[in-house]
Amino acid sequence: MTVLSVPDLLAAARPGALAAFNVVALEHAEAIAAAAVAAKRPAVLQISENTVRYHGGLGPLARACLAVAADSPAALTVHLDHATSHELIRQAADLGIRSVMYDGSALPYADNVDSTAAIARWCRDHGVFLEAELGAIGGKDGAHTPGVRTDPDEAVAFVAATGVDALAVAVGSSHAMHTRDARLDDELIARLAAKVPVPLVL
């Protein structure tokens, strides 16, 4: 099967969610593809900026993931996750990755808007699906308090100002969870889903 676009995968995943899994080595990509076949579900093979640093570059793992996705009968795509530089996103696109996440969440809000809008314009011109982040996701810095979660009105304004295709939101989920103390804020998720006009990413 050819590598699918994120909008196609989102449609294939309905009424459920589209699951994305981190790939650190080729064997992870192969296992995720096999699981997607067995489960008869679409999936995203995602490569994080941390993994790019670990390998010393994006090229070899990106090409391997694209080959696994193209050869699998499952509906798959490859996604660059948590890129903090525009250059890495351009590199990913040059390699054939058509879904990326720009993470400007550590920047002040106005700077996040400006930087995200700039890369969003570039992505639109190059046929790349762009996810961005607003709020502080737990786990990296232990942020789980309601005060650092994504505000629905701010999220609507952010999407309108940047033109992103999807938005990662802070709703109590956690990266690299070692304890079972994360609690999703279902009420906040419902408010975000009702207001934000693009897919939400947890």
Side-chain angles (χ1 to χ4, degrees), residues 4-99:
L4 297 181
S5 70
V6 170
D8 286 342
L9 289 183
L10 287 168
R14 292 189 180 102
L18 174 61
F21 302 92
N22 282 358
V23 174
V24 180
L26 172 61
E27 291 78 8
H28 296 129
E30 292 172 329
I32 294 160
V37 171
K40 298 182 174 62
R41 295 290 296 169
V44 178
L45 309 176
Q46 64 182 23
I47 304 168
S48 71
E49 186 176 88
N50 285 340
T51 296
V52 174
R53 278 196 294 270
Y54 171 77
H55 285 287
L58 176 61
L61 187 58
R63 292 185 187 98
C65 286
L66 288 164
V68 167
D71 288 349
S72 174
L76 301 171
T77 199
V78 180
H79 172 79
L80 174 67
D81 198 37
H82 282 286
T84 57
S85 83
H86 292 191
E87 178 53 36
L88 184 57
I89 287 172
R90 289 190 284 267
Q91 216 179 94
D94 287 344
L95 288 164
I97 292 175
R98 288 291 170 264
S99 177

